[in-house]
């Protein structure tokens, strides 16, 4: 068993004083030596964190014991080390950027547990719709799923016309951990889709509980792993190297910080081209040193996990 855990979670619940909660939650993560990205908003909590197994167990126990988060679902994966270099607990207007005029606490698609989802895959009347960004589904997606060429969920209204003809089908939305589908499925219902479902817990939970059958490629994740294996039943590589076109499941961020393009790239091209997606990117004066992973953490001089909390409190007192 590996010593570290990576937790992926979200929960929609009203927070009356999100700024106070953000500060308290940041301190909790510091006490438990957790690193990662957490978003706090008036509508709830969304995060991905990593830490030692015991610290993650304590975190899950504390969060779940708060009546506001009763029923929260943690997706837990084992890892050799921390999956993040820093800790950020940010206050935003939404826990997932969407600008969609919906409230998933009032209306959303029917939740399908992974086993129910797998059983529905053979239904000819079912259509899978991927609610993730283009670079995410480029490296992995469910077989036969509808995908959109969108950068983020805010663009979903611009693509609804592409699936208008499916309004009378059983539409199942899916994403990495389930959070985008809460709002996306609600929006589809608003737009007149009759029978809308969502994969509860997303791709990650489906892989853990049902072996990831029919998910082709890898699942893009927002930590230093970049992409992870999901399918243990009938895996297949669907992505090709952005540079040479050979089949590869490796995903990198371009080493040029002004580009930071998310692309598939084979190991040979990664080293040959210094982790860049185009020759022009090599000329970037701020080119980051490629270490074979293609993951780059933002540099902050003298950073410590406590620094973000102290800096924010200092600014608030000015």
């Amino acid at each position: 068993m590996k010593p570290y855990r990576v937790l992926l979670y979200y929960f929609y619940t009203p927070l009356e004083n999100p700024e106070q909660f953000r500060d308290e939650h940041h301190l909790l993560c510091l006490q438990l030596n957790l690193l990662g990205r957490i978003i706090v908003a008036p509508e709830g909590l969304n995060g991905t964190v990593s830490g030692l197994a015991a610290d993650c167990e304590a975190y899950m126990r504390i969060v779940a014991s708060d009546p506001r988060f009763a029923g929260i679902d943690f997706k837990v994966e084992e890892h050799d080390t921390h999956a993040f270099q820093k800790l950020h607990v940010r206050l935003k207007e939404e826990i997932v950027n969407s600008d969609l005029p919906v409230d998933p606490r009032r209306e959303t698609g029917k939740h399908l547990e992974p086993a129910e989802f797998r059983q529905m895959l053979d239904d000819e009347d079912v259509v899978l719709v991927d609610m993730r960004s283009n670079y995410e589904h480029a490296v992995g997606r469910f077989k036969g799923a509808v995908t959109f060429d969108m950068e983020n969920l805010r663009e979903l209204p611009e693509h609804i016309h592409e699936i208008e003809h499916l309004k009378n089908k059983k539409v199942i939305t899916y994403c990495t951990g389930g959070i985008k589908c809460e709002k996306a499925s609600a929006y589809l219902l608003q737009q007149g889709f009759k029978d809308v479902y969502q994969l509860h817990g997303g791709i990650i939970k489906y892989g853990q509980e049902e072996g990831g059958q029919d998910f082709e490629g890898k699942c893009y994740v927002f930590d230093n792993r970049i992409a992870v294996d999901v399918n243990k039943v009938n895996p297949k590589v669907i992505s090709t190297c952005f540079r040479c076109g050979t089949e590869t499941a490796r995903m990198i961020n371009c080493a040029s910080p002004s580009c930071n393009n998310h692309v598939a790239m084979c190991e040979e091209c990664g080293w040959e081209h210094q982790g860049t997606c185009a020759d022009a990117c090599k000329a970037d004066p701020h080119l980051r040193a490629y270490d074979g992973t293609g993951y780059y953490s933002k540099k902050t001089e003298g950073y410590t996990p406590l620094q973000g909390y102290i800096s924010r409190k200092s600014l608030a007192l000015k």
Side-chain angles (χ1 to χ4, degrees):
M1 185 174 288
K2 297 178 180 179
Y4 284 79
R5 300 290 181 271
V6 181
L7 308 181
L8 177 65
Y9 58 93
Y10 71 88
F11 201 77
Y12 283 98
T13 186
L15 296 178
E16 292 185 2
N17 191 335
E19 185 167 359
Q20 178 183 336
F21 177 83
R22 186 268 312 274
D23 288 348
E24 293 171 349
H25 206 75
H26 198 152
L27 286 174
L28 171 64
C29 292
L30 289 174
Q31 292 165 3
L32 294 173
N33 303 303
L34 300 183
L35 300 177
R37 297 189 185 100
I38 298 172
I39 298 174
V40 175
E43 65 179 8
L45 176 69
N46 173 25
T48 308
V49 298
S50 65
L52 288 168
D55 293 330
C56 286
E57 287 292 336
Y59 177 78
M60 289 188 287
R61 184 174 63 252
I62 292 169
V63 174
S65 67
D66 186 328
R68 293 173 294 184
F69 302 106
I72 189 170
D73 182 32
F74 289 95
K75 275 72 71 177
V76 185
E77 297 180 271
E78 294 184 3
H79 200 39
D80 293 317
T81 62
H82 265 297
F84 295 90
Q85 277 75 47
K86 299 179 182 180
L87 172 66
H88 295 290
V89 185
R90 294 189 171 98
L91 184 63
K92 295 190 176 183
E93 293 183 3
E94 298 179 276
I95 57 175
V96 60
N97 292 329
S98 75
D99 294 334
L100 298 176
V102 297
D103 182 351
R105 290 169 296 175
R106 296 183 178 181
E107 181 180 49
T108 190
K110 302 167 198 169
H111 286 68
L112 291 174
E113 292 304 319
E116 297 173 306
F117 174 82
R118 184 177 58 79
Q119 291 172 0
M120 289 184 68
L121 289 178
D122 294 328
D123 188 333
E124 293 182 358
D125 203 35
V126 163
V127 177
L128 304 183
V129 181
D130 195 316
M131 289 299 171
R132 299 172 302 152
S133 302
N134 44 24
Y135 60 86
E136 295 177 79
H137 60 65
V139 73
R141 56 187 178 271
F142 279 105
K143 182 171 65 177
V146 174
T147 59
F148 302 128
D149 184 14
M150 62 183 185
E151 292 291 330
N152 53 62
L153 196 58
R154 289 191 296 270
E155 298 175 15
L156 178 59
E158 302 170 22
H159 295 275
I160 286 295
H161 70 276
E162 297 172 28
I163 55 172
E164 285 281 349
H165 61 291
L166 303 175
K167 281 190 173 180
N168 293 317
K169 292 280 190 179
K170 296 175 184 175
V171 175
I172 306 178
T173 66
Y174 71 87
C175 58
T176 306
I179 185 170
K180 289 183 178 180
C181 291
E182 299 284 2
K183 291 189 173 182
S185 64
Y187 185 71
L188 291 186
L189 288 169
Q190 274 192 9
Q191 298 304 305
F193 288 79
K194 307 298 182 185
D195 207 0
V196 181
Y197 303 80
Q198 59 175 286
L199 174 56
H200 184 224
I203 300 163
I204 298 299
K205 187 174 183 180
Y206 178 71
Q208 292 174 340
E209 296 188 4
E210 293 298 319
Q213 181 177 332
D214 290 336
F215 184 83
E216 300 179 334
K218 289 194 172 189
C219 181
Y220 189 95
V221 292
F222 295 87
D223 57 61
N224 62 13
R225 297 172 298 169
I226 303 181
V228 298
D229 290 320
V230 169
N231 192 333
K232 303 177 185 67
V233 180
N234 53 350
K236 178 181 178 182
V237 177
I238 63 168
S239 49
T240 57
C241 178
F242 194 78
R243 281 285 198 171
C244 71
T246 59
E247 187 178 90
T248 182
R250 291 181 75 252
M251 195 80 176
I252 70 163
N253 293 346
C254 180
S256 165
S258 60
C259 173
N260 205 43
N261 199 8
H262 311 280
V263 297
M265 189 170 295
C266 69
E267 187 168 3
E268 184 177 346
C269 283
W271 289 111
E272 180 181 347
H273 300 289
Q274 301 172 259
T276 60
C277 68
D279 290 346
C281 293
K282 291 182 182 179
D284 189 330
H286 304 291
L287 190 68
R288 299 173 290 202
Y290 179 69
D291 65 359
T293 67
Y295 178 83
Y296 307 96
S297 177
K298 291 182 180 178
K299 296 184 182 300
T300 304
E301 294 299 324
Y303 172 82
T304 67
L306 181 62
Q307 181 190 50
Y309 179 79
I310 294 175
S311 299
R312 186 171 62 244
K313 298 306 288 182
S314 299
L315 289 171
L317 294 173
K318 288 184 179 180

